[in-house]
């Protein structure tokens, strides 16, 4: 039988399989217990990113995952795909090739699960539905993005179009992929919302746009009184998730205004964190320059952490992603 070390996944360690052992696992992956599928995938992903095994091995397991696998296994596959997709940011051609593979794996699962919950379905299925919709939209699946926009537009005339369980997810997708008119419509909703918690959330969603021009508008909005002074720092930070360089440069260019809304004790953490997701090596110099000018040596830990995060991301892109590229090219050729 296929050898599974740490069967049941009760041990706190990673397992590094040899080539022949891993090939046997890949071949028989569908027959393994869900707990072992989860553990082996977790080990393979972590060891691949650490350079202890081929980073593309995780894609072998994703390709071997059966359509009727445990929902938690598919949730983990979706999480891995999200991680890989983020590592391709800034390189659209390579990213699209990966996205095509990932969408082809996840779309049939969403079709099986459906957009609408069935009576008596287990909680893991409901969680998987949300994860799949979020991940496929993040991967740029136009069908899912279009369906989310359709359901959002129909929510007032057809209450069944947007179930409560999907309301936050669908609204977030619409905000992330909004055009200028849709962004303005969401802003109008935020302005008219009377519940403070929902109002704050709507304003934060305006800062999640994948459109650079709309992200710039969100940054400018953050410094006005409209969203509220307590939302300023959060909106700028939210923009940094998609456009770290834009958010970082904006915050430093308007430092006096931002400092009025960020507690003094938090500034050494706040500014470096805005650039921590950058994939531009120049950001390392920017953060060092900020730390050297504004922080004493005892307050530079967050700056050092942000720099380390950028350096690690660049290293992973340089050293791990070529193996994933080669795997995808070989699969396309087949």
């Amino acid at each position: 039988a296929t050898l599974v070390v740490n069967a049941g996944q009760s041990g706190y360690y990673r397992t590094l399989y040899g080539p022949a052992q891993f090939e046997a696992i890949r071949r028989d992956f569908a027959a393994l217990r869900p707990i072992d599928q989860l553990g082996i995938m977790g080990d393979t992903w972590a060891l691949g990113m650490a350079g202890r095994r081929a980073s593309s091995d995780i894609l072998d397991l994703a390709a071997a995952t059966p359509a009727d696998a445990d929902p938690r296994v598919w949730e983990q596959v979706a999480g891995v795909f999200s991680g890989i997709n983020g590592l391709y940011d800034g390189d659209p051609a390579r990213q699209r090739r990966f996205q095509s593979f990932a969408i082809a794996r996840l779309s049939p699962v969403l079709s099986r699960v459906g957009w609408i919950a069935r009576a008596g379905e287990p909680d893991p299925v409901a969680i998987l539905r949300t994860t799949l919709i979020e991940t496929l939209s993040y991967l740029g699946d136009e069908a899912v993005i279009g369906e989310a926009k359709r359901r959002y537009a129909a929510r007032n005339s057809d209450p069944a179009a947007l179930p409560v369980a999907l309301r936050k997810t669908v609204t977030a997708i619409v905000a992330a992929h909004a055009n200028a008119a849709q962004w303005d419509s969401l802003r109008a909703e935020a302005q008219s919302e009377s519940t403070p918690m929902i109002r704050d959330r709507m304003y934060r969603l305006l800062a999640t746009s994948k459109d650079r021009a709309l992200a710039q508008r969100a940054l400018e909005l953050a410094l006005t009184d409209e969203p509220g002074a307590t939302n300023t720092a959060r909106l700028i930070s939210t923009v940094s998730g998609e456009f770290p360089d834009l958010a970082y440069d904006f915050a430093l260019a308007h430092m006096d205004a931002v400092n009025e809304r960020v507690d003094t004790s938090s500034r050494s953490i706040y500014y470096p964190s805005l650039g921590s997701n950058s994939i531009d090596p120049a950001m390392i110099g920017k953060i060092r320059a900020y730390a050297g000018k504004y922080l004493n040596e005892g307050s530079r830990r967050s700056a050092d952490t942000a720099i380390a995060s950028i350096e690690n991301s660049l290293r992973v892109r340089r050293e791990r992603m070529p193996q994933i590229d080669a795997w995808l090219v070989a699969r396309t050729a087949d």
Side-chain angles (χ1 to χ4, degrees), residues 20-223:
Q21 296 166 323
F22 183 79
E23 173 56 25
I25 286 174
R26 184 204 63 77
R27 182 191 64 227
D28 298 333
F29 192 66
L32 300 181
R33 292 186 299 166
I35 186 63
D36 289 323
Q37 291 174 331
L38 288 166
I40 291 169
M41 289 188 71
D43 289 352
T44 302
W45 173 242
L47 293 168
M49 288 297 100
R52 299 298 300 274
R53 67 174 317 114
S55 57
S56 57
D57 284 348
I58 190 64
L59 297 184
D60 282 320
L61 298 182
T65 301
D68 61 351
D70 187 283
R72 286 158 290 201
V73 175
W74 274 114
E75 190 176 354
Q76 185 161 356
V77 172
V80 167
F81 285 171
S82 291
I84 294 175
N85 189 59
L87 291 170
Y88 276 121
D89 282 347
D91 197 334
R94 294 166 68 202
Q95 189 175 50
R96 279 194 295 270
R97 183 169 54 206
F98 168 71
Q99 289 172 342
S100 295
F101 163 74
I103 291 171
R105 290 299 294 145
L106 296 182
S107 291
V109 185
L110 178 58
S111 296
R112 182 169 58 85
V113 172
W115 281 72
I116 303 299
R118 297 177 177 86
E121 71 177 15
D123 289 341
V125 174
I127 295 170
L128 176 61
R129 174 181 296 108
T130 300
T131 299
L132 289 172
I133 292 171
E134 290 174 346
T135 303
L136 283 166
S137 69
Y138 178 53
L139 292 168
D141 187 340
E142 293 297 339
V144 167
I145 295 170
E147 179 65 6
K149 289 185 175 183
R150 184 194 71 78
R151 289 178 176 275
Y152 189 79
R155 71 192 187 284
N156 293 327
S157 58
D158 179 13
L162 191 54
V164 173
L166 292 181
R167 193 169 297 163
K168 286 185 177 180
T169 297
V170 167
T171 306
I173 292 172
V174 171
H177 298 274
N179 56 31
Q182 291 164 338
W183 193 90
D184 287 336
S185 178
L186 289 169
R187 181 181 178 182
E189 288 185 41
Q191 291 171 328
S192 62
E193 178 58 53
S194 58
T195 305
M197 184 180 296
I198 298 177
R199 182 177 182 274
D200 289 348
R201 181 175 180 272
M202 291 298 297
Y203 274 111
R204 288 198 299 274
L205 287 177
L206 293 173
T208 65
S209 176
K210 293 181 178 295
D211 184 297
R212 189 179 181 88
L214 294 178
Q216 179 65 43
R217 288 181 63 185
L219 290 172
E220 294 166 357
L221 178 65
L223 293 183

Side-chain angles (χ1 to χ4, degrees), residues 261-283:
R261 296 164 171 85
V262 177
D263 185 77
T264 303
S265 62
S266 302
R267 293 171 191 169
S268 64
I269 300 173
Y270 181 74
Y271 287 100
S273 71
L274 296 177
S276 61
N277 291 325
S278 177
I279 57 173
D280 184 356
M283 179 58 71

Side-chain angles (χ1 to χ4, degrees), residues 205-254:
L205 287 177
L206 293 173
T208 65
S209 176
K210 293 181 178 295
D211 184 297
R212 189 179 181 88
L214 294 178
Q216 179 65 43
R217 288 181 63 185
L219 290 172
E220 294 166 357
L221 178 65
L223 293 183
T224 69
D225 293 331
E226 181 182 322
T230 57
N231 283 324
T232 295
R234 190 173 295 175
L235 262 63
I236 297 174
S237 181
T238 301
V239 171
S240 75
E242 187 70 29
F243 298 101
D245 302 85
L246 181 67
Y248 182 87
D249 292 344
F250 179 88
L252 260 66
H254 300 82

